[in-house]
Amino acid sequence: MYRTHTCGELRLADMAKAVTLAGWVQTIRKFGAITFVDLRDRYGITQLLFGEELTRQLDEQPLGREFVIQVTGKVNERSNKNPNLATGDVEIIVSDFSILNRSAVPPFTIQDDTDGGDDLRMKYRFLDLRRNAVKKNLELRYAVNRAARNYLHQQGFMDIETPFLIKSTPEGARDFVVPSRMNPGQFYALPQSPQTFKQLLMVSGYDRYYQIVKCFRDEDLRADRQPEFTQIDCEMAFVEQEDILEMFEGMIKSIFKEVKGIDYQEKLERMTWEDAMWTYGNDKPDIRFGMQLCNLKFPAHSFRTRKSISDLITGAGFQVFDGAETVIAISVPGGSEYSRKQTDEITEWVKRPQIGMKGMVYIKCNTDGSFKSSVDKFYPEERLKAIAAAAGAKPGDLVLILAGAEERTRKASSELRLEMATRLGLRKEDEFKLLWVIDFPLFEYAEDENRWVARHHPFTSPKPSDIETMISNDPEIKDAAKYLEHPYAQIKANAYDMVMNGNEIGGGSIRIHQRELQEKMFAALGMDAEEQQHKFGFLLGAFEYGAPPHGGIAYGFDRLCAILGGSEVIRDFIAFPKNNSGRDVMLDAPSSIDEKQLVELQIKLNLNK
Ligand code: ASP
C-alpha cells in the first residue's frame, strides 16, 4: 500500500498513529542535525520531521524539490503550530522513507505566487496544475459542473452525446475541418455547438436535453477566447420564452447555492436590448453599479426615439456638440475632486486607439454649488448646471461627456463607464449581479455584403408578433443607406441572454420549428433553395415530421467558472488551454503531419499561395 492517509488528512486526533504518506517534496529545511520536509499532494501539505539518523541518510541521498517520496512514521503534535494549514497542528516523525521518483529542478516554483511567466507555465502545464491556485480553479469548475448536472437531472433533463465529426454548418464563426481518409476530398467539420442536433433531439421527443460539451470555433482569437471551449448546452420542447427563463434562473441560483453558498433570492431583472444599449451602451451591462449613460443628443435614425434634450447642449457655438451625431454623459460620483492632471489623464484614456474618441468634455459639480467645466467659454454656469442636472449629477460629481458618431460614441461611453467604475472600486469580484437581456433584433445588417445576418443564429425565431412582418416582406435591401427603414430592421428575436457582472454567460432562443419559416429565414440570409438543401436539408426535412415547438440555451461554462472564481481569465479555469494564438505550447500543436498521412488523405499542401 502506497499510503494510509493523504497529505491533507491528519489532525491532532490522529496523535501517535502509525501512518504512511506519499507525495511531492514542496520544501526542505535543514535545521542543524534535523530536517523538515513539507510533503504535498492534491489534498494538502503535511510536515515531516527527519531525525538525526535519517538526516545523515539524506546527506547521502539528498531530496530535491518535486521528488516523489513515501514516508512511514508516527503522528506527533507540533511545537510550532501553523494555523494557516489544515494539518498545521501535527507533523510526522519519519521512521523510514523511500524515493519513489526523482525530479529535475522545476522551471518555476510550485507556489501560489510563482515566479513562472505565462508561457513557461503553459509549456509545463502539468507542473502548473500542481499549484494550489490552479487546483482551486479546477475544483471550482468541477463543483459548477456537478451543480449544473444535479439541477438538470432533478428537472428531468437527459444527457445525450452528439457527434464531433459533423457536416459544416456555420453558425457565424469559421468551422474547424477534419479531412476524411475514407472519403478522399471530403471533410468533416467540428461542431461550433450541438445546435442542430439538440433541435433534432426535440423532434425525436427527448423534450429535456442537456450536455456539458466541447464546441469548436476557428475565430481570430481575441484576448481570452479559446478555439475549443465548453458549453452547458440545453434544449426543451413545448416551451415558451418564459419557461426557459424560469428554468435557467433556477439553474444559476442552484449553482450559486451549491458552489458559492450564496442564496441568490432576487428575481432576475429583464432588460430589453434597446434599454441596455440606451442606458449602458452595450448588450451585457454590468449592473453592480449605476453611472448610467445620459443621452444628451442622438441621431434621428436612433434605435430609440426619445424626447430630445439636445437643445441644452447645441446652439452655444460649441462645434463639437453641434456637429456630433451623438452626445453622451456619465456622472462619476465624487469626481469633482479630480485634479486637472486626473481629468487630463482620463481624456488621454478615451483617446487611446481602442476607445477612439477625439476628446472629452467635463463638468465639475462642486460641493459649494458652483460648476466648472472644460467648455466654460461656451456655456454659462446656468447652462452647465442644467446639463449636469440632466445627466443626473449631484454636488461633488464629475460629468464626463463624449461626442461623435453614434456607434463609436456609445461604445466608448460604455467602456468609459466600466473604466471609471473599476477605478472607483465598484466592480467587486465577490459581488454578483445577474439579469436577462431580451428582445434582441433578429437581424443585423452586414454592410460589406449589403445583406442581413442572423444576430443569434439562423434557427432563432422572431417574436410571435413579428412573424407576419417577416413572412410578408421581401428581405432584399434596395437602398443600403436606408437599411434601418427596412421592416426587417424592426423584427425582434425570441432570444435571451443571461448576463453576469458585465459578461454574457448564457444565450439562447425559441427556435423556428416550421419548414416554411425556416426557409424564409435562410432566404433572408441570402441562401438560395439549393444551398439550403445542401447545408440544412436534414433539418428542413425533420421539420416535416412533427417538430414540436422548442427552445433552449447554452452557457459558456469556462467563463461562468472564471467569473464565479473572481477572475476574467478563462484560461486559468481550463486544465489544458491554448494560448492567445490558439497554440498548445506544451504539445506544440498545431504542427505539421507526416508526408505519409498526407498521402493517405490525398492532400497536397499548397502553402506559398
Ligand atoms: N447554440 C447556441 C450558441 O452556441 C446557443 C443556443 O441557442 O442554445 O450560441
Side-chain angles (χ1 to χ4, degrees):
M1 185 169 48
Y2 274 114
R3 57 184 177 186
T4 55
H5 296 81
T6 70
C7 296
E9 211 177 330
L10 296 168
R11 303 285 184 275
L12 265 186
D14 299 300
M15 260 306 264
K17 261 188 201 159
V19 297
T20 303
L21 300 185
W24 287 262
V25 172
Q26 174 85 25
T27 54
I28 309 154
R29 282 158 293 150
K30 199 166 167 191
F31 274 106
I34 59 167
T35 306
F36 291 103
V37 169
D38 278 346
L39 192 68
R40 184 195 70 238
D41 66 9
R42 180 186 144 193
Y43 307 92
I45 286 184
T46 300
Q47 175 165 296
L48 312 177
L49 171 58
F50 289 70
E52 290 188 18
E53 198 191 318
L54 286 177
T55 294
R56 271 195 296 279
Q57 256 189 57
L58 284 181
D59 287 341
E60 276 152 43
Q61 221 192 337
L63 297 178
R65 277 195 286 144
E66 301 307 310
F67 275 38
V68 186
I69 63 170
Q70 182 189 40
V71 300
T72 302
K74 271 214 166 60
V75 181
N76 185 37
E77 180 167 3
R78 256 168 94 158
S79 54
N80 186 1
K81 299 197 171 58
N82 180 352
N84 301 322
L85 222 54
T87 59
D89 287 349
V90 297
E91 64 192 357
I92 312 299
I93 314 261
V94 178
S95 52
D96 200 5
F97 76 97
S98 59
I99 295 174
L100 299 179
N101 211 344
R102 292 166 187 283
S103 168
V105 175
F108 50 84
T109 54
I110 312 290
Q111 277 165 357
D112 277 8
D113 44 358
T114 175
D115 54 0
D118 255 14
D119 283 351
L120 201 60
R121 292 200 292 115
M122 288 304 144
K123 178 152 188 229
Y124 295 93
R125 185 64 167 170
F126 50 92
L127 294 179
D128 198 29
L129 289 169
R130 287 185 190 163
R131 291 170 55 234
N132 205 28
V134 187
K135 189 189 72 191
K136 260 183 14 221
N137 293 346
L138 292 190
E139 283 171 350
L140 180 123
R141 185 182 172 104
Y142 179 50
V144 178
N145 184 316
R146 242 172 19 230
R149 282 187 191 283
N150 287 347
Y151 177 83
L152 292 168
H153 176 70
Q154 275 159 19
Q155 298 294 331
F157 283 76
M158 214 169 135
D159 178 344
I160 304 175
E161 287 153 276
T162 52
F164 278 170
L165 295 176
I166 66 165
K167 185 184 172 84
S168 182
T169 53
E171 270 181 56
R174 205 175 286 116
D175 283 328
F176 278 104
V177 293
V178 181
S180 163
R181 181 186 53 82
M182 288 192 289
N183 305 273
Q186 297 192 324
F187 295 81
Y188 300 102
L190 300 180
Q192 296 186 21
S193 85
Q195 184 61 35
T196 47
F197 289 101
K198 64 177 177 174
Q199 292 192 240
L200 292 173
L201 286 170
M202 294 306 111
V203 179
S204 310
Y206 298 89
D207 62 350
R208 289 184 173 196
Y209 142 93
Y210 87 101
Q211 203 181 171
I212 299 187
V213 63
K214 274 285 169 72
C215 301
F216 307 86
R217 295 185 192 173
D218 187 4
E219 290 174 303
D220 291 335
L221 296 174
R222 280 185 268 135
D224 215 32
R225 286 269 183 105
Q226 289 280 316
E228 53 176 306
F229 58 96
T230 306
Q231 284 188 344
I232 308 177
D233 188 47
C234 309
E235 195 77 3
M236 302 170 78
F238 305 111
V239 285
E240 293 172 343
Q241 173 169 301
E242 189 59 37
D243 303 304
I244 305 247
L245 300 195
E246 293 226 335
M247 177 63 75
F248 290 95
E249 204 166 310
M251 182 177 89
I252 200 78
K253 285 180 176 172
S254 163
I255 291 175
F256 264 108
K257 190 152 211 171
E258 276 191 47
V259 177
K260 305 287 293 183
I262 295 175
D263 195 5
Y264 197 102
Q265 295 263 344
E266 248 172 278
K267 189 162 171 57
L268 268 59
E269 181 184 338
R270 296 180 189 180
M271 193 183 291
T272 63
W273 174 83
E274 273 192 10
D275 276 339
M277 295 304 285
W278 187 256
T279 39
Y280 296 95
N282 70 56
D283 57 9
K284 39 184 189 343
D286 189 340
I287 55 167
R288 281 174 295 181
F289 57 95
M291 279 171 54
Q292 296 180 347
L293 311 189
C294 170
N295 298 267
L296 294 172
K297 187 181 177 192
F298 41 90
H301 67 256
S302 170
F303 55 83
R304 164 70 62 89
T305 41
R306 276 214 182 152
K307 197 170 157 322
S308 173
I309 45 172
S310 69
D311 289 353
L312 268 178
I313 53 162
T314 52
F318 184 46
Q319 201 31 51
V320 175
F321 286 175
D322 286 351
E325 203 179 18
T326 299
V327 180
I328 297 176
I330 303 169
S331 301
V332 181
S336 73
E337 305 279 307
Y338 284 24
S339 64
R340 177 64 194 265
K341 195 167 156 232
Q342 280 172 298
T343 49
D344 281 354
E345 197 267 316
I346 303 171
T347 307
E348 285 313 308
W349 190 88
V350 301
K351 283 171 144 176
R352 290 158 23 136
Q354 305 95 298
I355 308 295
M357 299 309 292
K358 293 216 182 72
M360 183 189 79
V361 167
Y362 66 82
I363 305 174
K364 282 185 176 176
C365 313
N366 297 320
T367 41
D368 64 5
S370 66
F371 293 85
K372 180 94 194 85
S373 80
S374 53
V375 285
D376 282 356
K377 243 191 356 209
F378 300 97
Y379 298 92
E381 198 163 0
E382 269 315 297
R383 208 147 158 187
L384 294 178
K385 186 176 176 183
I387 298 172
K394 290 193 273 312
D397 290 356
L398 173 72
V399 182
L400 305 179
I401 307 177
L402 299 181
E406 161 70 14
E407 207 179 309
R408 177 173 328 137
T409 308
R410 193 161 295 280
K411 212 160 160 246
S413 306
S414 154
E415 295 292 335
L416 179 61
R417 173 180 176 269
L418 294 175
E419 172 67 18
M420 294 314 293
T422 303
R423 294 182 186 202
L424 291 170
L426 299 175
R427 305 180 75 191
K428 300 193 193 80
E429 279 171 9
D430 55 356
E431 187 190 356
F432 300 98
K433 277 273 186 197
L434 293 153
L435 77 151
W436 288 108
V437 176
I438 54 172
D439 294 357
F440 287 85
L442 185 65
F443 296 107
E444 246 166 31
Y445 176 64
E447 215 172 321
D448 42 346
E449 298 171 76
N450 186 39
R451 68 171 183 96
W452 300 111
V453 289
R455 215 199 126 85
H456 188 46
H457 52 52
F459 317 106
T460 293
S461 96
K463 288 243 148 210
S465 52
D466 286 339
I467 292 181
E468 190 42 44
T469 311
M470 184 156 152
I471 292 176
S472 56
N473 284 286
D474 180 353
E476 197 192 341
I477 306 158
K478 299 224 165 64
D479 184 352
K482 291 196 179 153
Y483 78 91
L484 278 167
E485 288 168 27
H486 193 289
Y488 272 37
Q490 301 308 320
I491 297 178
K492 295 274 183 285
N494 213 345
Y496 30 78
D497 278 357
M498 189 181 273
V499 174
M500 173 153 82
N501 293 4
N503 292 278
E504 180 205 322
I505 54 165
S509 60
I510 298 297
R511 324 297 184 189
I512 296 170
H513 66 283
Q514 309 92 337
R515 178 170 185 138
E516 305 71 49
L517 190 58
Q518 188 65 71
E519 283 174 344
K520 180 85 190 181
M521 180 69 176
F522 287 146
L525 303 177
M527 248 186 254
D528 62 23
E530 198 186 330
E531 191 181 352
Q532 290 184 25
Q533 195 50 40
H534 173 68
K535 284 193 172 147
F536 296 109
F538 62 97
L539 188 70
L540 293 169
F543 283 174
E544 286 184 43
Y545 292 92
H550 60 283
I553 190 166
Y555 284 81
F557 182 57
D558 311 290
R559 174 141 294 119
L560 176 62
C561 295
I563 305 171
L564 288 173
S567 162
E568 298 205 345
V569 186
I570 68 173
R571 240 190 349 225
D572 292 349
F573 291 77
I574 297 172
F576 296 103
K578 310 266 186 291
N579 74 5
N580 278 346
S581 337
R583 294 199 70 82
D584 184 320
V585 289
M586 182 180 70
L587 302 178
D588 192 21
S591 57
S592 43
I593 56 174
D594 291 346
E595 187 58 32
K596 183 167 162 266
Q597 288 172 292
L598 287 173
V599 169
E600 272 175 358
L601 293 166
Q602 303 192 39
I603 287 180
K604 238 201 196 95
L605 298 181
N606 190 15
L607 289 176
N608 289 328
K609 274 210 182 135

